[in-house]
């Protein structure tokens, strides 16, 4: 959060394939990823699950972490850094082969590079178009900045080079000639074009298909969606508490609310935004006359009736309260 002046916490969630958050953890903000995953792995043993395949992003793919996840016949699906220039990533990209279409926006290809782990390249055509468009904008900005820089003296060019170096997106495509001239790096552009819409996965499970590996990794999107809902819809932060037990209670309540949201979404097939919008159209009117006062709800619309039926929630009574007039 870039707030070194405030205490921080780390929140972890265990999420099912359908996005249901089934467990939550909370740690001090300075707890490292390795310590977190070790505690989670140990505590998940209580659930007596037959087999667990761990899914993690690129920041967790160290050899030490991989060895730990494989303990107890465990497996993993990990994202690999394509731009890291590792021998495994370069070898995977160099392999030829056809992609198999998993969905409209996902194609997969397993490559054999002679390693113990399996490697799967995933390709998203829509993401490839976005990556190409973003790169074109960055190159146009870079070209505009360095245009006419040959006429500058060495000191001014060095200053311009320093400014561009603070912008990673532009600096990626900048090349400095031996004479100190600034140019657009054509080789870097060609290398980036090979990566458009692609990401690389590493898997230790010999039985999972390439499709299951790709879809398993995409479950991280469900977790990210959970974090977004926790932080926005449910206002997880800021936490107006100081005591540890109250901080943990606040996070637990937010997790329970997220659990209700996900159950409602999976049961009805609608997003929480639509569910909330439909239900918020239900109002109570207060009517007063000579006989007294009564509160009556509005008529249920067809979407509202369908929601209550799917959730197995009883429809609210037509008359909420009736108060006869006094003499």
């Amino acid at each position: 959060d870039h707030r070194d002046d405030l205490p921080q916490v780390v929140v972890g969630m265990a999420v099912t394939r359908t996005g249901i958050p089934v467990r939550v953890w909370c740690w001090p903000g300075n707890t490292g990823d390795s310590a977190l995953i070790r505690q989670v792995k140990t505590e998940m043993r209580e659930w007596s699950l037959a087999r667990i395949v761990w899914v993690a992003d690129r920041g967790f793919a160290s050899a030490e972490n991989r060895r730990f996840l494989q303990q107890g016949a465990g497996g993993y699906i990990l994202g690999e850094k394509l731009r890291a220039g590792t021998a495994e990533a370069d070898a995977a990209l160099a392999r030829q082969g056809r992609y198999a279409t998993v969905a409209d926006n996902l194609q997969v290809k397993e490559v054999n590079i002679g390693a113990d782990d399996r490697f799967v390249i995933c390709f998203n055509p829509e993401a490839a178009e976005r990556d190409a468009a973003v790169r074109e904008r960055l190159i146009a900005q870079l070209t505009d900045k360095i245009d006419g820089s040959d006429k500058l003296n060495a000191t001014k060019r060095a200053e311009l080079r320093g400014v561009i170096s603070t912008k990673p997106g532009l600096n990626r495509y900048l090349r400095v000639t031996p004479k100190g001239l600034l140019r657009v790096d054509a080789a870097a552009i060609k290398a980036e074009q090979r990566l458009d819409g692609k990401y690389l996965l590493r898997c230790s499970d010999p039985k999972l298909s390439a499709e299951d590996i790709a879809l398993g990794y995409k479950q991280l999107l469900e977790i990210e969606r959970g974090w977004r809902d926790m932080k926005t819809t449910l206002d997880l932060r800021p936490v107006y508490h100081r005591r540890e037990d109250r901080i943990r209670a606040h996070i637990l309540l937010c997790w329970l609310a997220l659990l209700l949201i996900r159950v409602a979404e999976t049961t009805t097939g609608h997003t929480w935004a639509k569910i909330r919008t439909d239900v918020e159209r239900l109002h109570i009117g207060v009517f007063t006359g000579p006989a007294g006062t009564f509160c009556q709800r509005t008529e249920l619309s067809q979407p509202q009736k369908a929601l209550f039926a799917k959730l197995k929630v009883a429809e609210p009574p037509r008359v909420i309260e009736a108060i006869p007039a006094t003499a």
Side-chain angles (χ1 to χ4, degrees):
D1 289 339
H2 308 288
R3 291 298 304 270
D4 297 334
D5 58 320
L6 295 175
Q8 302 286 294
V9 296
V10 177
V11 182
M13 283 193 297
V15 182
T16 67
R17 182 183 292 252
T18 56
I20 303 295
V22 292
R23 189 160 179 174
V24 66
W25 291 267
C26 182
W27 299 277
N30 59 354
T31 309
D33 284 352
S34 297
L36 306 185
I37 201 67
R38 279 158 175 75
Q39 178 183 342
V40 171
K41 190 176 192 299
T42 301
E43 294 184 358
M44 289 293 283
R45 293 173 183 165
E46 302 172 1
W47 289 33
S48 301
L49 300 174
R51 182 170 176 79
I52 297 178
V53 177
W54 296 88
V55 184
D57 59 16
R58 294 169 294 183
F60 195 77
S62 68
E64 181 183 358
N65 289 335
R66 295 200 303 269
R67 285 195 299 271
F68 181 81
L69 293 181
Q70 283 186 296
Q71 293 179 8
Y76 54 74
I77 301 172
L78 304 176
E80 286 285 314
K81 296 180 180 179
L82 280 176
R83 293 184 176 87
T86 62
E88 292 169 330
D90 292 340
L93 289 174
R95 292 292 188 274
Q96 301 295 322
R98 292 184 178 182
Y99 286 94
T101 301
V102 175
D104 292 339
N105 62 343
L106 180 61
Q107 301 174 19
V108 298
K109 176 178 66 174
E110 184 169 359
V111 293
N112 184 2
I113 61 174
D116 293 335
D117 287 336
R118 300 166 60 194
F119 289 84
V120 175
I121 299 177
C122 301
F123 176 68
N124 184 334
E126 297 175 1
E129 293 179 3
R130 290 194 298 269
D131 292 344
V134 170
R135 184 174 57 252
E136 289 178 4
R137 289 197 298 269
L138 291 173
I139 294 173
Q141 294 177 23
L142 178 61
T143 303
D144 184 62
K145 280 186 175 294
I146 66 176
D147 188 30
S149 61
D150 291 357
K151 300 178 182 179
L152 301 176
N153 57 44
T155 302
K156 291 294 184 182
R157 276 202 304 271
E159 291 177 356
L160 178 59
R161 171 73 181 90
V163 171
I164 296 175
S165 67
T166 63
K167 305 178 184 300
L170 300 182
N171 191 55
R172 181 184 300 169
Y173 303 108
L174 179 66
R175 179 175 64 89
V176 182
T177 67
K179 294 183 178 180
L181 301 179
L182 306 181
R183 296 288 185 267
V184 175
D185 192 341
I189 295 174
K190 185 176 180 180
E192 283 294 313
Q193 288 175 340
R194 296 177 59 209
L195 306 181
D196 285 352
K198 295 178 182 177
Y199 53 95
L200 179 63
L201 303 180
R202 173 196 291 263
C203 179
S204 65
D205 194 310
K207 297 180 180 179
L208 289 176
S209 66
E211 177 180 345
D212 286 337
I213 293 173
L215 294 178
Y217 187 75
K218 287 192 70 174
Q219 289 179 38
L220 285 178
L221 298 177
E222 288 294 330
I223 298 177
E224 293 299 329
R225 189 166 72 98
W227 295 132
R228 288 195 300 271
D229 288 348
M230 287 269 276
K231 294 175 181 177
T232 55
T233 306
L234 301 174
D235 293 332
L236 174 67
R237 57 185 181 184
V239 181
Y240 298 104
H241 300 288
R242 294 185 180 181
R243 287 174 44 180
E244 180 177 334
D245 58 339
R246 293 187 177 182
I247 293 173
R248 292 182 181 276
H250 170 78
I251 293 172
L252 180 64
L253 290 173
C254 290
W255 166 74
L256 288 173
L258 180 64
L259 175 60
L260 291 176
I261 286 177
R262 289 293 179 267
V263 169
E265 287 180 334
T266 55
T267 303
T268 63
H270 299 304
T271 64
W272 177 248
K274 185 179 187 312
I275 295 172
R276 186 173 57 184
T277 299
D278 287 340
V279 175
E280 284 179 345
R281 290 175 177 153
L282 190 62
H283 298 286
I284 295 177
V286 180
F287 303 89
T288 302
T293 302
F294 67 97
C295 302
Q296 179 176 301
R297 66 161 169 79
T298 55
E299 289 286 348
L300 292 177
S301 65
Q302 194 58 41
Q304 290 169 344
K305 290 182 179 180
L307 281 176
F308 286 124
K310 289 180 179 179
L311 295 173
K312 297 181 180 178
V313 174
E315 297 179 0
R318 177 66 170 163
V319 176
I320 308 299
E321 185 182 27
I323 305 174
T326 57

